[in-house]
């Protein structure tokens, strides 16, 4: 299974946003060594936004192209449809619900079989979760101190389209998110312009 393995903090500094979710990711971003001295072209700006989407959701180029083509076929704003479809990925929802402290950890938890969707084990990170589905830790994973610490920590800001059940180590995907509710700093219209050339 192909996966992204680039240095996370270096990627955050290059993109200018904390795509990894780690509190120290941008500590060195204001250092003179990392300051940009040249003006970016229109293509460069579009490329950066596309790279941000790939980094936020820990996906590869081929996967993003597939999501873009599917979003372009739907009615509505293509950029918003793209982000909504990415937000429905199982690994992303595992991260959003607080089972993992990074998208990479969430992907690993899913692929190792620690996550149940509506009571059934699913080990495909790209699995598209339906509205109303319940996501929970399997019995064996609930004994892991690391997983418990992640899920029960107080620094998880609740999102409007997710509910958490801390007592049962579970969460529910309650509704499709709107663009305003999706916590990614991306100009999705530039991504659409990049792919529509």
């Amino acid at each position: 299974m192909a996966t992204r393995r680039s240095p996370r903090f270096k990627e955050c500094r290059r993109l200018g946003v904390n795509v990894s979710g780690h509190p120290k990711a941008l500590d060195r971003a204001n250092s003179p060594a990392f300051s940009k001295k040249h003006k970016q072209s229109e293509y460069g700006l579009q490329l950066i936004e596309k790279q941000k989407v790939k980094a936020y959701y820990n996906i590869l180029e081929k996967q993003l192209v597939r999501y873009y083509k599917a979003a372009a076929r739907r009615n509505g704003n293509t950029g918003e449809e793209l982000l909504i479809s990415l937000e429905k990925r199982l690994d992303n929802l595992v991260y959003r619900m607080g089972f993992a402290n990074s998208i990479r950890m969430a992907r690993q938890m899913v692929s190792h079989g620690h996550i149940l969707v509506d009571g059934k084990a699913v080990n495909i990170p790209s699995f598209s979760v339906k509205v109303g589905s319940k996501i929970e830790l399997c019995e064996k994973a609930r004994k892991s101190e690391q997983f418990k610490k992640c899920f029960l920590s107080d620094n998880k800001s609740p999102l409007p389209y997710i509910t958490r059940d801390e007592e049962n180590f579970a969460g529910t995907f309650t509704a499709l998110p709107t663009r305003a509710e999706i916590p990614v700093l991306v100009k999705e219209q530039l991504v659409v312009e990049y792919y529509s050339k």
Side-chain angles (χ1 to χ4, degrees):
M1 185 191 303
T3 186
R4 293 164 56 89
R5 298 183 186 277
S6 55
R8 294 178 302 160
F9 289 10
K10 188 176 181 181
E11 186 172 50
C12 290
R13 290 195 298 270
R14 181 169 53 82
L15 298 175
V17 291
N18 188 352
V19 293
S20 72
H22 195 285
K24 295 183 179 179
L26 290 175
D27 277 3
R28 296 166 62 200
N30 296 323
S31 168
F34 302 112
S35 61
K36 294 178 181 176
K37 296 181 174 68
H38 61 278
K39 186 179 178 182
Q40 282 193 316
S41 65
E42 183 182 344
Y43 171 79
L45 293 171
Q46 293 169 352
L47 181 64
I48 285 289
E49 295 305 311
K50 186 213 32 148
Q51 300 291 65
K52 283 183 189 177
V53 173
K54 285 169 60 178
Y56 269 122
Y57 294 99
N58 194 35
I59 58 175
L60 302 171
E61 183 67 25
K62 272 188 176 181
Q63 292 171 296
L64 183 55
V65 169
R66 278 203 306 271
Y67 280 108
Y68 169 76
K69 288 179 179 177
R73 289 194 294 268
R74 297 193 197 103
N75 294 326
N77 185 300
T78 302
E80 289 184 20
E81 291 293 335
L82 172 64
L83 292 182
I84 290 170
S85 59
L86 288 168
E87 203 65 20
K88 293 192 294 183
R89 284 174 57 99
L90 178 57
D91 58 352
N92 176 70
L93 286 172
V94 167
Y95 172 52
R96 297 277 187 243
M97 288 177 181
F99 292 111
N101 55 26
S102 71
I103 190 73
R104 291 187 181 188
M105 180 180 171
R107 181 187 178 91
Q108 189 175 47
M109 287 176 71
V110 174
S111 60
H112 286 194
H114 297 310
I115 300 297
L116 305 178
V117 179
D118 292 331
K120 295 179 181 177
V122 178
N123 61 359
I124 303 168
S126 61
F127 178 81
S128 184
V129 180
K130 294 177 181 176
V131 172
S133 293
K134 182 181 179 182
I135 299 171
E136 59 189 321
L137 278 176
C138 68
E139 284 297 329
K140 186 178 178 182
R142 293 181 192 189
K143 297 172 185 174
S144 166
E145 287 302 319
Q146 184 183 11
F147 295 162
K148 284 198 287 188
K149 185 179 177 183
C150 277
F151 191 64
L152 299 176
S153 62
D154 296 326
N155 59 358
K156 298 290 182 292
S157 53
L159 294 167
Y161 50 96
I162 287 170
T163 58
R164 284 161 42 92
D165 179 0
E166 293 189 355
E167 192 174 325
N168 295 308
F169 293 95
T172 305
F173 182 40
T174 53
L176 287 177
T178 63
R179 174 60 187 101
E181 293 169 346
I182 299 174
V184 295
L185 299 173
V186 169
K187 296 174 183 172
E188 63 275 9
Q189 186 54 39
L190 293 182
V191 181
V192 174
E193 290 171 13
Y194 177 91
Y195 282 121
S196 58
K197 288 179 181 178

